[in-house]
Amino acid sequence: MSSDQTTASGADAGDAPQDSPDGTPQDSPFRDERTARDEAPQYVLPLVVRIERNEPPGRTDALETAARAVLVMLSDERSLGDGEWAQAMRDWQDARIRKVVRRARGAEWRRAEALPGITVTGKSAEVRVFPPVPLDGWPKDLARLQVSGTDLDDPEPPADADPAAPVLWMNPDLDMSAGKSMAQAGHGAQLAWWELSDEDRTAWREAGFPLTVRTAAPARWAELTTSGLPLVRDAGFTEIAPGTTVAVEGYDRVGALRPDHVRRSAD
């Protein structure tokens, strides 16, 4: 379920370092090759999904809720400037971008909720995201949670992707657990966030971070991965071999959510 390290094209967390021949910034947190980021202390962003025995969430809703949880953490005032989580967020993004999803229910979930973090609720899913922690420094009540066992299903086929919101397209050739897929969706949402201006980020946040996670049809996937879009490439540490997992499409559509854009469109 862990997504320990990815590579990506079309996005960069830093100050536009010199690109390598494949187009990925040389100091990107999403490169295969070892970079200066590997020398920095390594952090992980913990996410916990609530999976009650008799009322598990729908799979797609869990993926979308996890993606929004990452965006909520990135935009929270405590993660910015001199906020209480800001240094941990900077340390995390200065190194490799790692996310791990664990599951909880009952008393485990209540203990997780008592720790500093943010709970994001979807239609049926609840995901709590926590400020980054060192790889070997997990809080006890999170470290004891299980990483495996997130076999979620959709009660009915997901509706078509919302054409007005960003879409995180999942690779149709991969068989990933819901937890692994949640981490990958979180990576995709983070790439979209990095692509946006401050104004567009504000508009997206104020709209509640609308987005859709869907599995692409094989022909559509081939088109997406050759269109210059931001791509999440998993390093292959867990569940799957190294390769592309998510294509991030339509992040530029959040600009239409800005009030000034709405006013211009109505004139």
Side-chain angles (χ1 to χ4, degrees):
M1 186 187 306
S2 164
S3 180
D4 289 334
Q5 179 179 318
T6 64
T7 63
S9 62
D12 173 44
D15 299 324
Q18 182 181 0
D19 287 357
S20 67
D22 68 358
T24 307
Q26 288 186 354
D27 194 33
S28 169
F30 297 115
R31 283 195 59 77
D32 286 319
E33 297 85 354
R34 190 172 184 83
T35 73
R37 292 179 182 275
D38 293 286
E39 307 306 322
Q42 300 296 301
Y43 286 75
V44 61
L45 187 78
L47 298 102
V48 175
V49 57
R50 183 178 186 180
I51 303 181
E52 297 293 344
R53 192 184 306 276
N54 297 324
E55 293 183 296
R59 180 185 176 95
T60 297
D61 189 43
L63 269 59
E64 293 175 347
T65 304
R68 284 194 295 272
V70 171
L71 294 167
V72 168
M73 175 58 73
L74 288 167
S75 62
D76 192 275
E77 63 181 9
R78 289 166 290 185
S79 298
L80 305 172
D82 295 325
E84 62 182 292
W85 300 339
Q87 187 59 56
M89 291 293 288
R90 286 191 291 269
D91 290 342
W92 172 57
Q93 294 183 88
D94 283 346
R96 294 290 184 176
I97 301 300
R98 302 168 187 258
K99 300 179 181 71
V100 171
V101 180
R102 296 176 183 261
R103 62 178 173 88
R105 64 171 177 256
E108 295 173 332
W109 175 256
R110 291 190 291 274
R111 286 192 292 268
E113 279 201 306
L115 298 174
I118 307 169
T119 297
V120 177
T121 302
K123 296 176 182 178
S124 61
E126 290 181 77
V127 176
R128 189 162 179 84
V129 59
F130 303 86
V133 297
L135 285 179
D136 58 355
W138 283 69
K140 179 178 63 176
D141 285 332
L142 296 184
R144 65 177 56 167
L145 298 177
Q146 293 295 312
V147 174
S148 60
T150 57
D151 298 324
L152 300 176
D153 297 309
D154 283 314
E156 56 188 37
D160 291 341
D162 183 354
V167 184
L168 308 177
W169 292 103
M170 307 297 290
N171 186 335
D173 297 324
L174 297 179
D175 182 16
M176 297 185 289
S177 69
K180 178 78 172 181
S181 298
M182 288 168 68
Q184 299 298 312
H187 288 326
Q190 189 165 2
L191 293 186
W193 179 257
W194 285 339
E195 291 283 348
L196 298 175
S197 67
D198 288 342
E199 287 183 344
D200 286 349
R201 288 177 177 180
T202 298
W204 201 14
R205 182 181 68 244
E206 291 180 351
F209 292 121
L211 57 83
T212 307
V213 179
R214 294 291 184 272
T215 299
R220 177 64 169 148
W221 180 251
E223 177 185 337
L224 290 164
T225 54
T226 57
S227 299
L229 297 173
L231 304 174
V232 177
R233 294 192 178 100
D234 191 74
F237 291 158
T238 59
E239 292 196 23
I240 59 173
T244 305
T245 58
V246 181
V248 183
E249 186 260 332
Y251 55 85
D252 53 323
R253 293 195 282 263
V254 302
L257 302 172
R258 297 201 307 267
D260 61 332
H261 180 95
V262 173
R263 285 196 298 269
R264 286 198 302 270
S265 300
D267 290 343

